[in-house]
Amino acid sequence: MQNSLKKLSLVFLAFLLLFSLGLAACSRSASNDEANSAATSSSGDAIYKAGTYTATAKGNNGKVTVEVVFDDTSIVSVTVKENSETQGLGDAAIERISQQIVEGQTLAVDTVSGATNSSKAILAAVEDCVKQAGGNADALKIAAVKENTPQRETELTTDVVIIGAGGTGLAAAGSAFEHGADVIVLEKQANLGGSTVLSGGGISATGTRFQAELGIKDTPESWMKLWKERQNTSNPDSRYPDYERVKTYMDDAVDTTHWLVDYMNHKYARVEGYGVDPVARIHFPEAGGASLIANLEKTLKDKGIDILTETKATEIITDEKGDVTGVVAENAEGKLTVHAKKVIIATGGFAKSEELVKRFVPEFAGHIKLSAAAAGSTGDGILMAEKIGAALYEDPWIIGLGMTSRVPEIRGLEWDTTKVLVNEKGERFMNENQHYAIVTNKVAENGQVWMVIDSGEANAETVKTLESVLPNEEVATGGTIAELAAAMQVPEAALVKTMETFNAGAASGKDAFGKETATLVAVNKGPFYAIKYYPQTMGTFGGVKVDEHYRVVREDGSVINNLYAGGEAANRYLYNQVYMSGSAVQYALTSGRLSGEHAAKAIKAGE
C-alpha cells in the first residue's frame, strides 16, 4: 500500500512539473537508451529515464563519486563508488544520506552532523544524476510536510553516563564496564570519534613492551627533557605545565598503551618518531584515528554498552547538596534524562566554538573555520560544568597544527620545511623547520604570513596549480622579487634584502635563523609566488580543573561529587602553549581509562 501511494504521489508530481535538462558533467551507461525507450513508450507517466547514472561532487577531502539507479518512477539505489572522505567520519554521511534519499524519494535530506561537507557532496552528486535522468531536482528538494509528532520524555538509569564518544569517552566506557559498572554513552554527533578519529591515532609512551619487542630503548626522562624544551619556547609567565602531574601522566600512559591491546582489542602497526620528534615512541595503528576508534567502538558494542548518537547533553543534574545525579539530553524523539551515580565529561575542547574562542583565546578568533578540530568541539561539557560551579583552568590556549592556506588546491605545502616564510614587513621571523605547534604560535604572532616560492623544477607542479587558481587574493606573483613585493603590498627593500640574505645562507649552508643545511633551498628563479598562510588549530588547552583522579573541582579545591572530566575538557595542566606529538590522543585515552576506573570503583565502594 505504501509503495502504491509513493508511486501515485510521484506520478502526480510528474503532471505538475516539467522535465529538466540533464547536466553534461555526468555519464550514463550506453545500455540505458533501450531501457528509457521501453519506459517511455509503455507509459506516459514516467518521471525518470530509467538507467544507471554517475556524478562527482567535491567533498571534504576530495571528489565523491556517486552511482544512482532509476526506474521510470523512482530512485532505486544510491551508491557511493569512490571517495576520499575521512574514514570513520564520512562513513555515517554515506550510509545515512544514501538510505534516506531512497526511502523518502527526496533530496530534502538533512546533512549528517559532523559530516556536513560529505553530506553535501552526496546530495549534489545525486541531484546531478536526477537531472541527467530527466527528473526535477528542484521538486525533490521540497521537504514533505511532516505530521506533528509529539516529543517524548524518556528516563533511563545507569551507573555511569559518559558525555561524548571520542577517544576519552570510549576509553572511559570500556574501563568503567571492565570494573563492573553499567554504562551509557551520549554523543551529539551522528558519528563517533570526536577529534581522535581525525587524528593520526598515534599515542606516545616510553618504555612500553612494544618498544622493547622492537629493540627501542626509551625513557620518561628523555621525553620529559623534550617536553620542557618545547614548553620553554612559549609563554614564560605561564603557571603550566604542572610537571609532577606530567610525570604521573607519562607513567599512566604506558599502562594505557598496554590496556588498549589487552582489553580493548586495539592493535599497533608500528612504533616510530614523527617529523622533528625522531625518537620512536609514537604507537601508530594501521589506519590512523579511524582504526583506533573503530576498534574501541567494536569492543564496546560487543560488550553490549549503549552508545546513543545524535543525543546532545544539555544539562548536568545536581541535588540539593550540589552532588551530580545525572544528565539531561535531547534527541529527535524529545527530552532524555539519564539518572546516574557518576557522570564523566568527555566532550572535547572548544576550537569550533566562536563564542568560546573569542572568550578564551581571541588571538585565534578569525581562524575558527580553518581549525582541524572535530565539528563537535564546541565546549559543551566545559560550559555545563561551569554552570554548576566547576573551576576553569587559567590561561587557555590552542593545540597548534602548524599553518594552513585558504587555497585548498595546494593543501600539504605547509608541511614543506624547505619553504621560506615572511611576514607583513617582508621579513623572515623563524626557522621554518620547527615543531608544528611552535610554527602555529609563531605564525599567530605576525600580522600576515606569506610563503615565498620560485619557479624552480621542484615547484613545477605547485606553480601549475597556482596558475590555475589565479587571480586569487590569497596568492601574489611577480617576475622579480621587487614585483612580488608590490603584489604582496609589503616593503620592497625589506623583501629583497630578506631573500638575498636567505639565498646567501642557502649557498653557504649557514642560515641566519639556524635552519638545517638539508632544508636550505634557494629561491632565485622567477616568476615568484607568495601564498598567504594562517595559524591552524586542532584543539585547545583548557577546560575544567580536575584532581589526580580526574574528579572535577571547584575554585576552592573541593570536589564536585560524582563528576569527572578528561581529554580536552580538562587538559590544561599538561602544557604551556606547545603540544607534544602523540600526547593529546594518549591523554584522551588515559584520562578516559582512569576516570572510568575510578568512577566504577567508587560506586562499588558506595562512594
Side-chain angles (χ1 to χ4, degrees):
M1 181 66 178
Q2 290 181 340
N3 288 336
S4 298
L5 289 173
K6 179 179 71 176
K7 289 193 174 185
L8 284 172
S9 65
L10 290 169
V11 169
F12 180 69
L13 281 174
F15 284 105
L16 295 177
L17 302 165
L18 295 174
F19 288 112
S20 60
L21 295 175
L23 295 180
C26 293
S27 61
R28 181 165 60 93
S29 60
S31 61
N32 290 342
D33 293 335
E34 293 180 6
N36 294 340
S37 298
T40 54
S41 62
S42 61
S43 172
D45 59 8
I47 295 175
Y48 303 107
K49 304 169 192 172
T52 301
Y53 301 79
T54 60
T56 298
K58 184 178 180 180
N60 193 59
N61 297 331
K63 294 180 179 179
V64 176
T65 301
V66 175
E67 179 183 274
V68 185
V69 177
F70 298 86
D71 62 20
D72 58 347
T73 58
S74 66
I75 303 170
V76 177
S77 67
V78 173
T79 306
V80 177
K81 304 296 288 184
E82 297 178 11
N83 76 92
S84 303
E85 303 307 271
T86 304
Q87 186 180 352
L89 187 60
D91 298 354
I94 289 171
E95 182 177 354
R96 173 87 65 77
I97 298 292
S98 301
Q99 180 180 359
Q100 291 183 348
I101 289 172
V102 175
E103 289 181 351
Q105 295 296 300
T106 180
L107 291 174
V109 174
D110 292 334
T111 59
V112 175
S113 178
T116 304
N117 292 336
S118 301
S119 303
K120 289 180 177 179
I122 296 168
L123 286 167
V126 174
E127 177 182 350
D128 199 339
C129 290
V130 166
K131 291 177 179 178
Q132 288 180 80
N136 192 304
D138 290 336
L140 294 183
K141 290 181 182 178
I142 301 172
V145 178
K146 297 180 180 178
E147 295 181 8
N148 290 326
T149 55
Q151 294 287 285
R152 298 192 308 169
E153 290 195 14
T154 306
E155 296 194 22
L156 299 174
T157 301
T158 190
D159 290 330
V160 179
V161 61
I162 298 166
I163 311 173
T168 306
L170 298 182
S175 183
F177 184 87
E178 178 188 14
H179 291 91
D182 291 329
V183 180
I184 292 175
V185 183
L186 309 178
E187 171 53 55
K188 71 176 180 180
Q189 304 291 85
N191 50 277
L192 310 186
S195 290
T196 301
V197 79
L198 301 175
S199 73
I203 56 174
S204 289
T206 62
T208 69
R209 71 175 193 249
F210 308 105
Q211 288 176 304
E213 289 169 1
L214 296 170
I216 299 167
K217 294 181 180 180
D218 189 20
T219 65
E221 291 76 20
S222 171
W223 198 14
M224 182 66 80
K225 181 176 182 292
L226 179 63
W227 203 290
K228 290 181 177 181
E229 289 175 359
R230 290 274 163 76
Q231 303 314 313
N232 288 341
T233 66
S234 50
N235 183 10
D237 300 320
S238 177
R239 68 184 68 191
Y240 301 111
D242 179 339
Y243 281 111
E244 284 302 312
R245 296 187 72 174
V246 174
K247 183 179 183 301
T248 300
Y249 157 72
M250 288 181 175
D251 293 338
D252 292 334
V254 177
D255 295 333
T256 300
T257 306
H258 295 159
W259 173 78
L260 288 168
V261 172
D262 296 340
Y263 185 75
M264 297 297 287
N265 299 309
H266 189 43
K267 296 178 181 178
Y268 304 116
R270 60 196 188 280
V271 183
E272 21 179 84
Y274 181 77
V276 293
D277 292 344
V279 178
R281 64 169 59 106
I282 309 180
H283 300 63
F284 284 101
E286 184 64 40
S291 59
L292 168 59
I293 291 300
N295 291 341
L296 300 184
E297 179 183 2
K298 182 179 186 305
T299 299
L300 298 187
K301 288 186 175 179
D302 289 346
K303 296 178 185 301
I305 295 173
D306 291 326
I307 304 175
L308 308 181
T309 57
E310 295 184 279
T311 302
K312 180 182 179 180
T314 58
E315 179 186 353
I316 295 172
I317 309 169
T318 58
D319 62 17
E320 65 280 357
K321 296 182 294 183
D323 295 347
V324 169
T325 61
V327 173
V328 175
E330 58 186 26
N331 56 27
E333 295 180 353
K335 178 181 177 181
L336 170 66
T337 301
V338 183
H339 303 284
K341 297 171 184 175
K342 306 290 179 185
V343 173
I344 300 175
I345 297 172
T347 52
F350 56 87
K352 287 290 191 177
S353 167
E354 185 172 354
E355 173 191 350
L356 293 185
V357 169
K358 285 181 178 178
R359 173 182 169 187
F360 293 131
V361 280
E363 302 95 323
F364 296 89
H367 310 301
I368 295 170
K369 291 182 179 179
L370 297 174
S371 177
S377 298
T378 51
D380 301 2
I382 297 170
L383 292 176
M384 284 186 280
E386 183 184 31
K387 192 173 182 179
I388 62 169
L392 301 189
Y393 280 111
E394 305 84 0
D395 305 322
W397 196 245
I398 54 88
I399 300 177
L401 187 60
M403 59 184 185
T404 190
S405 165
R406 289 197 170 103
V407 182
E409 290 83 358
I410 58 169
R411 189 175 291 168
L413 192 62
E414 57 266 27
W415 294 98
D416 186 346
T417 58
T418 68
K419 298 298 184 276
V420 178
L421 301 178
V422 301
N423 58 21
E424 71 282 0
K425 299 176 183 177
E427 300 170 346
R428 281 179 76 203
F429 53 90
M430 65 178 289
N431 175 346
E432 293 86 355
N433 187 28
Q434 295 195 59
H435 188 270
Y436 44 90
I438 297 175
V439 171
T440 308
N441 292 344
K442 293 289 187 181
V443 170
E445 290 172 3
N446 289 271
Q448 178 60 65
V449 170
W450 297 83
M451 177 184 289
V452 179
I453 69 171
D454 69 2
S455 294
E457 185 177 346
N459 294 323
E461 289 302 317
T462 300
V463 168
K464 186 184 299 183
T465 301
L466 289 173
E467 285 292 340
S468 72
V469 301
L470 292 176
N472 191 315
E473 63 181 14
E474 298 295 314
V475 182
T477 184
T480 65
I481 294 296
E483 291 176 0
L484 181 66
M488 296 165 64
Q489 297 184 4
V490 302
E492 177 184 322
L495 184 63
V496 169
K497 181 179 179 181
T498 293
M499 300 313 298
E500 287 177 347
T501 301
F502 176 79
N503 286 335
S508 68
K510 295 180 180 180
D511 179 58
F513 284 85
K515 196 170 182 179
E516 295 79 357
T517 303
T519 60
L520 288 172
V521 179
V523 182
N524 52 21
K525 182 179 180 180
F528 300 92
Y529 300 82
I531 309 131
K532 290 180 180 178
Y533 273 86
Y534 307 89
Q536 185 177 36
T537 70
M538 59 176 170
T540 50
F541 301 141
V544 298
K545 290 186 176 181
V546 292
D547 68 5
E548 68 274 17
H549 302 300
Y550 300 95
R551 296 179 298 184
V552 178
V553 301
R554 301 180 179 88
E555 285 291 354
D556 62 6
S558 62
V559 170
I560 298 178
N561 288 333
N562 309 324
L563 183 63
Y564 298 77
E568 283 185 45
N571 66 349
R572 183 71 185 95
Y573 64 86
L574 289 177
Y575 309 94
N576 183 349
Q577 292 182 346
V578 177
Y579 166 71
M580 302 297 291
S581 297
S583 66
V585 176
Q586 177 65 271
Y587 178 70
L589 300 168
T590 294
S591 59
R593 175 179 70 84
L594 292 175
S595 60
E597 177 181 345
H598 192 275
K601 287 182 175 179
I603 291 170
K604 274 189 178 180
E607 299 173 355

